[in-house]
Amino acid sequence: MPELPEVEVVRRGLDEHAVGRRIGAVEVLHPRSIRRHVPGPADFVGRLADRTPTAVRRRGKYMWLVLDSGEMLLTHLGMSGQMLVQPRGKPDEKHLRVRLPLSDGQELRFVDQRTFGHLLVDEPGERVDVPVSVDHIALDPLDPEFVPEAFVRALRAKRTEVKRALLDQSLISGVGNIYADEALWRSRLHWARSTRGLTNAQALELLGHVTEVMTEALEVGGTTFDGLYVDVNGESGYFERGLNAYGRRDRPCGRCGTAIVREAFMNRSSFSCPSCQRAPRSGA
Ligand SMILES: [Zn+2]
């Protein structure tokens, strides 16, 4: 599943390849991919025709093209979505869902095998460059306007498990399962620790590791753990080589050599070192 660093890589690619190119006659090849665009496919196509993207922005895993009409083309890649830039005439991908021809002879192609991703044309909310449907999402830690102290205060005020808080999009956005496990490993914190039990210093350290692990992933083009994700030019990221906990069940912890364990968590998995990341006593 694409996480924040992967989405940021795609954003940078679109910034280079889509900004300043006029959009032509858009084709919706699967209605499910624009299911959140309530007025339907004809309206979606009409709002994009002859519009030119002026910027590409992102918050968490949401990404959007700001259009010269003042509206925005909002994208969420879901589980398996890809946004590719291809030359016109190149054979269609098997799971091509939406085609957006550009005035420079290339096409933006939204390819999505599992169709959990979606596109919609949205209006600005409280800010002219943020879509109304993204207004309620918290800033992500790579956003220049993110305030660490405010996050730490909100985190410590929660009565929940620390990993659950990291995945809470109203508190901090863009932290997926992989980066949560990696940041917790670096912080030597078990995922089930209570947020109320964290000191200010521990919470700040954890946030520092979240930011660090995402920045490192960004530098190498994101992770591609499930093999489905490719960036705007179809190239895979390779950050998985640098993972310390996620997906490493039964392999030795890089710090102490103890075998990494996998536990069920929110219908997914949590990977941790049982020695470096001691599980809380019940109620702790
Ligand atoms: Zn360890």
Side-chain angles (χ1 to χ4, degrees), residues 185 253 255-256 258 273 275-276:
W185 182 86
C253 167
R255 243 179 340 232
C256 73
T258 307
C273 170
S275 174
C276 301

Side-chain angles (χ1 to χ4, degrees), residues 135-208:
D135 262 348
H136 66 287
I137 310 266
L139 296 182
D140 65 66
L142 300 186
D143 193 308
E145 293 179 23
F146 186 88
V147 181
E149 295 73 19
F151 166 76
V152 164
R153 249 192 325 273
L155 177 80
R156 295 182 63 212
K158 291 244 165 199
R159 291 170 182 271
T160 189
E161 295 159 334
V162 62
K163 183 169 174 183
R164 200 177 289 272
L166 287 179
L167 300 178
D168 179 348
Q169 301 284 304
S170 68
L171 196 61
I172 184 171
S173 67
V175 185
N177 207 31
I178 297 176
Y179 298 106
D181 280 2
E182 291 300 306
L184 288 165
W185 182 86
R186 291 184 186 201
S187 305
R188 301 174 193 243
L189 291 173
H190 190 269
W191 55 269
R193 284 280 296 269
S194 164
T195 51
R196 290 183 75 81
L198 297 181
T199 65
N200 221 40
Q202 282 177 316
L204 268 177
E205 188 194 342
L206 174 62
L207 176 63

Side-chain angles (χ1 to χ4, degrees), residues 72-91:
M72 284 156 259
L73 174 61
L74 177 62
T75 305
H76 195 287
L77 298 175
M79 300 290 287
S80 59
Q82 303 168 12
M83 189 64 96
L84 305 177
V85 177
Q86 302 282 33
R88 194 164 304 155
K90 187 169 177 186

Side-chain angles (χ1 to χ4, degrees), residues 30-263:
H30 198 309
R32 189 169 146 76
S33 294
I34 62 154
R35 64 193 177 282
R36 303 272 175 91
H37 189 87
V38 178
D43 183 85
F44 179 83
V45 169
R47 284 174 193 275
L48 292 170
D50 293 324
R51 290 302 167 198
T52 302
T54 58
V56 192
R57 306 215 186 282
R58 183 190 54 70
R59 181 179 291 180
K61 299 190 213 174
Y62 286 89
M63 174 179 63
W64 58 93
L65 298 168
V66 180
L67 304 173
D68 59 353
S69 59
E71 294 190 306
M72 284 156 259
L73 174 61
L74 177 62
T75 305
H76 195 287
L77 298 175
M79 300 290 287
S80 59
Q82 303 168 12
M83 189 64 96
L84 305 177
V85 177
Q86 302 282 33
R88 194 164 304 155
K90 187 169 177 186
D92 288 354
E93 291 73 15
K94 185 174 174 197
H95 303 289
L96 178 62
R97 307 306 187 195
V98 181
R99 183 200 318 277
L100 302 102
L102 299 175
S103 55
D104 66 352
Q106 304 209 86
E107 296 180 344
L108 288 185
R109 294 183 181 182
F110 183 64
V111 175
D112 190 7
Q113 181 183 344
R114 299 179 66 183
T115 67
F116 287 113
H118 65 91
L119 302 179
L120 87 124
V121 180
D122 204 359
E123 304 172 341
E126 285 173 24
R127 292 172 54 156
V128 292
D129 58 349
V130 179
V132 67
S133 36
V134 177
D135 262 348
H136 66 287
I137 310 266
L139 296 182
D140 65 66
L142 300 186
D143 193 308
E145 293 179 23
F146 186 88
V147 181
E149 295 73 19
F151 166 76
V152 164
R153 249 192 325 273
L155 177 80
R156 295 182 63 212
K158 291 244 165 199
R159 291 170 182 271
T160 189
E161 295 159 334
V162 62
K163 183 169 174 183
R164 200 177 289 272
L166 287 179
L167 300 178
D168 179 348
Q169 301 284 304
S170 68
L171 196 61
I172 184 171
S173 67
V175 185
N177 207 31
I178 297 176
Y179 298 106
D181 280 2
E182 291 300 306
L184 288 165
W185 182 86
R186 291 184 186 201
S187 305
R188 301 174 193 243
L189 291 173
H190 190 269
W191 55 269
R193 284 280 296 269
S194 164
T195 51
R196 290 183 75 81
L198 297 181
T199 65
N200 221 40
Q202 282 177 316
L204 268 177
E205 188 194 342
L206 174 62
L207 176 63
H209 286 308
V210 167
T211 310
E212 182 183 86
V213 78
M214 284 184 169
T215 305
E216 288 171 16
L218 195 51
E219 281 165 8
V220 294
T223 67
T224 177
F225 198 79
D226 56 14
L228 274 172
Y229 168 76
V230 285
D231 74 16
V232 72
N233 288 317
E235 292 173 17
S236 299
Y238 49 94
F239 181 65
E240 71 268 29
R241 282 186 220 149
L243 296 175
N244 287 301
Y246 188 84
R248 292 182 50 84
R249 183 185 194 179
D250 294 335
R251 294 169 69 186
C253 167
R255 243 179 340 232
C256 73
T258 307
I260 297 287
V261 297
R262 180 171 69 93
E263 293 161 284

